Amino acid sequence: MLGVRLTGTGRAEVSPRLDNHQLSQLVDTSDEWIVTRTGIRARRLVSAEQGVTDLAVQAAQNALAAAGLTPFEVELIILATSTPDDLFGSASLVQDRLGAKRAVAFDLTAACSGFVFGVVTAAQFLKTGAYRRAVVIGADVLSRWVDWQDRRTCVLFGDGAGAVVLEASAQDRLLGFELQNDGSQNACLTLAYQGQPRPLIDDVTVTLGAYQFIAMNGQEVYKFAVKRVPEVIEKALFRAGLTSDQVDYFVLHQANQRILDAVAAKLAVPPERMLSNLDRYGNTSAASIPIVLDEAVRSGHIQAGHTLVLAGFGAGLTLGALVCRWG
Ligand code: UT7
């Protein structure tokens, strides 16, 4: 078995920006409520002309440039998204637009855990020697699926994309991981299909329809995250033979600042080692982890040799954590 290194990050620039004061004109909410309960001050939303594919291509291009690779050198592209531009998948279009002619590309759906699931999936291909260079993209445009009249959900989400380059290497820098599902809590967070019966002929009926808005039982998801995320991180750390005090930065899915604070407290991690950009982006689903990661790498906070924990949680319910050494 070969090893895996993470060698570059990138993100897409998304505008316009929608702040809490503007949102307060749409629904009965306030900047004070949103900041106190979530830590979010503003989110970014794609323009009407943009889609997930556009954001994913931009994030991947920036990650490849950071890694010093050309698209032609990429052999695998995994697009973690729950909001593809096409239900058949958007990864093929990303492959084409990138000019990654040699790469196999596919979508992976695991909601807000999608990026962590994607990195672990890509790593398996690299460790077996099947491929040598992969790009994992987390991209979501949840603004298309939010009920903008529902204050319980519309204040939380934003659009975005981030990406990371993985390369096969003699030394393994993916030190441990743990992925989990709890389908028994599936109803807590859904973007569900709703079809109307349409009789075709004799006793044959199909359904035709569309997807409902995002529906969430916020308190249940909150409890799930605060209890299970520290556990999944501990398991990944155990596999890596490390403890939380040996980790330089925790890069968690950005859903709520209170969740980040509670996880940090449970793991006895000082706040400055729990990265957050929630105030500026809100919850960008599969994109949130690679966006925070990219910001921290480009600002110089994360440096070669640093030990990182990446952890995601969300619809499914899904959760996962991985431990890696950067660079
Ligand atoms: O990425 C997917 C993972 N998702 C998550 O991790 C989300 C996890 N859950 C959460 O982050 C929190 O549960 C929320 C931020 C969604 C909600 O915070 P909360 O402290 O659990 O609030 P709540 O749902 O208990 O609501 C408290 C009150 C309610 O009013 P009453 O019934 O006490 O009169 C809500 O109607 O706040 C009200 N409320 C609002 N008020 C102003 C709910 N949303 C809003 C709002 N503005 N936007």
Side-chain angles (χ1 to χ4, degrees), residues 23 27-34 36-40 111-113 142 150-157 188-189 216-225 253-259 283-286 288 313-315 317:
L23 253 185
V27 288
D28 180 16
T29 189
S30 65
D31 178 56
E32 201 256 333
W33 190 96
I34 303 170
T36 317
R37 300 284 179 135
T38 71
I40 300 167
C112 304
S113 309
L142 287 183
D150 177 6
R151 68 175 185 175
R152 292 167 305 162
T153 50
C154 77
V155 302
L156 304 173
F157 300 108
C188 290
L189 182 46
M216 180 171 72
N217 181 333
Q219 290 189 359
E220 287 304 316
V221 179
Y222 187 95
K223 281 189 262 174
F224 169 83
H253 168 51
Q254 307 283 297
N256 188 323
Q257 187 60 45
R258 283 154 57 211
I259 294 177
N283 178 345
T284 56
S285 191
S288 84
F313 58 91
L317 296 179

Side-chain angles (χ1 to χ4, degrees), residues 11-18 40 42-56 58-59 81-83 85 138-146 148 153-162 191 214 253-254 277-278 280-292 295:
R11 67 179 189 276
E13 283 306 322
V14 180
S15 60
R17 176 177 172 276
L18 181 73
I40 300 167
R43 65 289 293 145
R44 288 166 182 283
L45 307 176
V46 294
S47 62
E49 304 78 42
Q50 279 180 314
V52 151
T53 309
D54 302 300
L55 303 191
Q58 208 188 106
T81 185
S82 304
T83 54
D85 294 329
D140 267 310
V141 178
L142 287 183
S143 63
R144 288 177 174 171
W145 302 102
V146 160
W148 288 99
T153 50
C154 77
V155 302
L156 304 173
F157 300 108
D159 302 331
L191 205 176
I214 292 171
H253 168 51
Q254 307 283 297
N277 64 8
L278 258 169
R280 288 171 290 123
Y281 287 90
N283 178 345
T284 56
S285 191
S288 84
I289 294 172
I291 293 174
V292 197
E295 284 194 336

Side-chain angles (χ1 to χ4, degrees), residues 193-200 204-212:
Y193 174 71
Q194 188 175 42
Q196 298 296 328
R198 159 108 181 250
L200 287 185
V204 180
T205 299
V206 292
T207 65
L208 295 179
Y211 285 82
Q212 299 173 9

Side-chain angles (χ1 to χ4, degrees), residues 46-78:
V46 294
S47 62
E49 304 78 42
Q50 279 180 314
V52 151
T53 309
D54 302 300
L55 303 191
V57 168
Q58 208 188 106
Q61 281 168 336
N62 290 336
L64 284 169
L69 294 181
T70 64
F72 191 72
E73 293 174 281
V74 178
E75 293 168 326
L76 171 67
I77 297 168
I78 297 180

Side-chain angles (χ1 to χ4, degrees), residues 69-300:
L69 294 181
T70 64
F72 191 72
E73 293 174 281
V74 178
E75 293 168 326
L76 171 67
I77 297 168
I78 297 180
L79 173 61
T81 185
S82 304
T83 54
D85 294 329
D86 180 328
L87 264 187
F88 285 143
S90 291
S92 295
L93 215 47
V94 171
Q95 181 251 7
D96 180 57
R97 294 244 211 112
L98 270 179
K101 292 195 184 311
R102 294 167 60 212
V104 63
F106 57 88
D107 290 33
L108 180 153
T109 307
C112 304
S113 309
F115 181 75
V116 171
F117 279 46
V119 170
V120 171
T121 303
Q124 309 314 304
F125 284 99
L126 300 181
K127 286 191 179 193
T128 58
Y131 301 121
R132 283 164 299 165
R133 294 174 207 92
V135 179
V136 179
I137 308 160
D140 267 310
V141 178
L142 287 183
S143 63
R144 288 177 174 171
W145 302 102
V146 160
D147 178 354
W148 288 99
Q149 293 181 317
D150 177 6
R151 68 175 185 175
R152 292 167 305 162
T153 50
C154 77
V155 302
L156 304 173
F157 300 108
D159 302 331
V164 69
V165 174
L166 274 72
E167 297 185 56
S169 111
Q171 204 186 17
D172 194 9
R173 295 187 160 222
L174 179 61
L175 308 176
F177 70 86
E178 169 76 10
L179 307 179
Q180 296 180 0
N181 287 67
D182 184 355
S184 71
Q185 294 206 72
N186 184 263
C188 290
L189 182 46
T190 56
L191 205 176
Y193 174 71
Q194 188 175 42
Q196 298 296 328
R198 159 108 181 250
L200 287 185
I201 190 168
D202 300 330
D203 59 350
V204 180
T205 299
V206 292
T207 65
L208 295 179
Y211 285 82
Q212 299 173 9
F213 292 123
I214 292 171
M216 180 171 72
N217 181 333
Q219 290 189 359
E220 287 304 316
V221 179
Y222 187 95
K223 281 189 262 174
F224 169 83
V226 167
K227 178 172 187 303
R228 298 280 297 271
V229 173
E231 291 171 4
V232 86
I233 290 175
E234 297 275 20
K235 281 206 168 157
L237 282 169
F238 176 77
R239 297 228 167 90
L242 295 172
T243 49
S244 55
D245 56 308
Q246 293 172 293
V247 176
D248 292 291
Y249 288 107
F250 290 79
V251 190
L252 267 58
H253 168 51
Q254 307 283 297
N256 188 323
Q257 187 60 45
R258 283 154 57 211
I259 294 177
L260 300 181
D261 294 344
V263 174
K266 279 204 177 170
L267 296 172
V269 167
E272 62 274 15
R273 288 205 273 130
M274 179 66 69
L275 298 182
S276 172
N277 64 8
L278 258 169
D279 57 332
R280 288 171 290 123
Y281 287 90
N283 178 345
T284 56
S285 191
S288 84
I289 294 172
I291 293 174
V292 197
L293 187 63
D294 185 54
E295 284 194 336
V297 168
R298 285 176 194 269
S299 65

